[in-house]
Amino acid sequence: MVLKVFFPRCCNAGDSGLLVGRWLPEHDSAVVLALIHYPFIPGQVKKYLSQLQSETRVELTVLGSWSQPQEGQEGLESFLQDLRTIFPQGRWLQLSRQRGGGGFSCQLGPGAGGSGREAAGGDGVTFIHYDQRKVMLSQLHPARGPELAPQAEASELRLVFQTVARSQALFRADRYDSGPLRLTHWQSEGREASIIVELCKQASVPLCLLLSWLLSLWTRGCRCRLLNLWPVHFVSSKLSTCIQVGHRTEHLQTVSSPRKAVDHMAFMRKANIFVSFLVDVVLGLLLVSWLYRENRIGRLANALVPAADHVAKELQELLQWLMGAPAGLKMNRALDQVLGRFFLYHIHLWISYIHLMSPFIEMILWYVGLSACLGLTFALSVFSDIVALLTFHIYCFYVYGARLYCLKIYGLSSLWRLFRGKKWNMLRQRVDSCSYDLDQLFIGTLLFTILLFLLPTTALYYLVFTLLRLLVVLFQGLIHLSVDFINSFPLFAMGLRLCRPYRLAAGVKFRVLQEEPGRPLHLLMEINPLKYSGVLQWYRTPTYSCYPKDSWGALCKKLFIGELIYPWRHKSTKAD
């Protein structure tokens, strides 16, 4: 069986000393974590390893000796080999670097505590070089629980990754610490190099507690009975701003939670939400600075009323065209005139309402613009609600036309069954045969004829107002998609994928570094980064749904019979 030695790349140029790591006897492997350089006192080495074992709960031991050819240290290699009597164990690795830096020579001998294979040849040893920093931060096989997974249940690579992850205390030794032992391993920044980060961590704890308390008060206030009454709850469920407030509250509760993330996925979700929140606020502040510069709010308010008048004029011309002979179609004149005047009266009422509110529009827009300080998503949500209010007359036209068209379709379908001597059985949900009187057949045929000849006029109005409503809904859908993109796009994960791809690991790959007959095989273990499609899995379910969940066949059927009164709604969904 080939002995595999996982050797850190940072130790290739280390001075002579002892190899510290962990044996994996079930897989016939050894994981080297650090080098303890000569000179040292064996008693201090034992004490240091016992402290690390109690802190990391990893069976760390002295694996063997490491010899680096240097002038004036000819007897050092034999001295290090004799230390196997002081550190009893089953096997003892004797690694020495060849002169000129060509490769390693390895001998595997028995330790003082047991017997092992004598003088393992070069063909029986494989060196796997790895980057401790990337293995430590990749979170490919995170260690869960206080203990490492049993060797019989875990794979070799899982145990290697968990061993490196559990040895975090070894890598966090301060760089400028002048202790009794001098080590070589991947060195983290240490406490002295990250004093600002440590201060921010200490200050964030009371800030998160205060924010959590304020959010709990806000949540309790939103759950009061007055806000849960039917009119208030119905209106708040239709307003994009209220929905965005609810989602932002959930995001802040997740970020401000003082509890540490349980796993890597929870940490990534917190980081993505936090970065998205910061980007949202920055974009909102940029929008506020642009709006309140050069009196853009006043110019927007002055252009709003003429734009509403222009839209009303276009609608009036459209209705007058429908009241004539649109596209050469012969309409029912009486019904056409009634519907046209009905809708023209609604346009007149809407224009009167806009002109009545015109003195207050600039003040309303001024205060609405301040909502962008909470984030660009709030400004877009408010803008969506303003669009919905300004096009409320189009929505009313669509509802009137859809209701009238739906009644016509249901009446024609029922009278068509009566004309054929059929009826709908409500108990069995099927069409059965039925015998009707002569008077019933006469009245039914008469009503069927009337509804059939009135159907083209109603269908034309329904088609025109449905197209207008679809234009408004598509515009609002683009706004909602923008809001959802800012809320949910994994900016932090994408930044890691670009700058530090090993933090989002999908696996490992091995590359041959050196392969010579009679010498150990040297492999390089590299981290495979997660693909961009995998990174986008953090992109949660859309907050808004700008299209119905029905199939296209069911959607077309509902459009045909006029049942799609509320075709596009805001649907709130929580993150996974």
Side-chain angles (χ1 to χ4, degrees), residues 20-83:
V20 176
R22 181 192 180 199
W23 284 104
L24 304 178
E26 295 294 333
H27 303 280
D28 200 14
S29 303
V31 182
V32 180
L33 296 176
L35 286 178
I36 298 180
H37 300 291
Y38 181 83
F40 52 81
I41 301 176
Q44 293 179 348
V45 174
K46 289 185 176 181
K47 182 179 179 180
Y48 179 68
L49 291 180
S50 63
Q51 293 176 356
L52 285 179
Q53 287 183 4
S54 61
E55 184 175 356
T56 62
R57 299 186 181 182
V58 180
E59 298 178 359
L60 297 180
T61 182
V62 176
L63 302 177
S65 61
W66 164 261
S67 300
Q68 182 76 262
Q70 294 181 1
E71 297 181 359
Q73 297 183 357
E74 288 77 7
L76 182 60
E77 184 174 356
S78 60
F79 168 74
L80 294 176
Q81 293 177 6
D82 294 338
L83 291 177

Side-chain angles (χ1 to χ4, degrees), residues 61 89 111 133 160 195 253 332 351 403 425 457 481 537:
T61 182
Q89 57 183 342
R133 179 170 181 261
V160 171
I195 186 65
Q253 286 177 346
N332 185 278
I351 290 301
R403 283 299 185 188
N425 192 337
T457 304
L481 287 178
Q537 289 179 358

Side-chain angles (χ1 to χ4, degrees), residues 68 172 287 329 549:
Q68 182 76 262
R172 282 185 175 177
L287 179 62
L329 298 176
K549 292 185 178 180

Side-chain angles (χ1 to χ4, degrees), residues 381-396:
S381 300
V382 172
F383 180 63
S384 176
D385 293 334
I386 292 176
V387 171
L389 291 176
L390 292 178
T391 59
F392 184 70
H393 54 301
I394 297 179
Y395 176 73
C396 292

